[in-house]
Amino acid sequence: MKTLLIVDVQNDFLLGGALAVPFGDEVIEVINKLMPKFELVVATQDWHPANHGSFASAHLGMKPFDVGRLGSVEQVMWPDHCVQGTSGAELSSKLNSNAIEAIFRKGTDAMIDSYSAFYDNARMKSTGLGSYLKGRNVSELFIVGLAADYCVGFSALDALELGFRTMVVDDATKPISEKDFIAMRQKIHNQGGAFLISSEIL
Ligand code: VGL
Ligand code: ZN
């Protein structure tokens, strides 16, 4: 089964949001067009408690985009974003969400961040997405959304490790940092992932 995984198309990652991804809004129209081409559509939502440890505001002396540690792992300190129950955490109202069968929330534990849709950054806890997809007989996974160098990229790497044929749709994702995305692309490519553009699916 051919599945579309829509990562974190939430107001805080869009224009005017707390952690707006440059040109992030451009992915929405592409994703809306792609959805009808898939047998299964699932989404993720970054869903942090107000005191989340990935927020610079939770650490004395840290400012957004500094790099520190959270628990046992390196952590980029983000501006407060996608706080549970706020409008910034909602999926964009421009995203056609009717076809989304399930939404997996991540980043809910204040002590650990979770970029991948499958596991937290220390790989302590699974979101259940991998078992859900295997239960639905998913073989091919097309990943879209935000941000290309973080949640989309790490989701693709985990999907590959879990044995899914994994594709990232280039014009349906945008990075926070172009430079970081170049490195991420290389990793995904090296692990057997593919990049394609939406017109190859439409
Ligand atoms: C994300 C940074 C922090 C993402 C989430 O969705 O890519 N990036 N939280
Ligand atoms: Zn986050």
Side-chain angles (χ1 to χ4, degrees), residues 8 16 22 48 50 74 77 82 89 105 125 129 145 151 169 176 201:
D8 299 0
H48 298 309
E74 194 178 274
M77 298 293 159
C82 297
R105 288 175 166 167
K125 207 172 75 182
L129 175 62
C151 292
V169 185
I176 294 173
I201 303 168

Side-chain angles (χ1 to χ4, degrees), residues 27 43 46 60 69 73 130 149 161 181 189-190 193 197:
V27 305
D46 209 32
L60 211 60
R69 293 192 77 76
V73 294
D149 44 347
E161 198 177 311
F181 186 40
H189 184 77
N190 291 346
I197 53 172

Side-chain angles (χ1 to χ4, degrees), residues 28-96:
I28 298 174
E29 196 187 322
V30 183
I31 296 172
N32 284 342
K33 283 192 195 147
L34 285 172
M35 277 194 260
K37 301 288 175 188
F38 288 84
E39 296 166 272
L40 175 65
V41 181
V42 296
T44 64
Q45 214 172 2
D46 209 32
W47 193 250
H48 298 309
N51 60 344
H52 195 260
S54 73
F55 298 168
S57 63
H59 306 266
L60 211 60
M62 285 282 182
K63 38 182 210 315
F65 306 102
D66 284 350
V67 179
R69 293 192 77 76
L70 184 59
S72 62
V73 294
E74 194 178 274
Q75 177 69 51
V76 177
M77 298 293 159
W78 301 109
D80 292 20
H81 66 279
C82 297
V83 173
Q84 296 167 0
T86 64
S87 57
E90 282 168 24
L91 295 183
S92 167
S93 60
K94 294 195 195 108
L95 184 70
N96 199 337

Side-chain angles (χ1 to χ4, degrees), residues 89-136:
E90 282 168 24
L91 295 183
S92 167
S93 60
K94 294 195 195 108
L95 184 70
N96 199 337
S97 55
N98 291 353
I100 299 172
E101 286 195 32
I103 298 174
F104 289 79
R105 288 175 166 167
K106 59 186 181 60
T108 55
D109 182 337
M111 295 309 296
I112 183 77
D113 209 357
S114 189
Y115 294 145
S116 160
F118 296 93
Y119 303 101
D120 65 65
N121 292 358
R123 292 185 147 263
M124 300 281 284
K125 207 172 75 182
S126 156
T127 59
L129 175 62
S131 323
Y132 172 87
L133 294 176
K134 291 202 168 153
R136 296 291 303 266

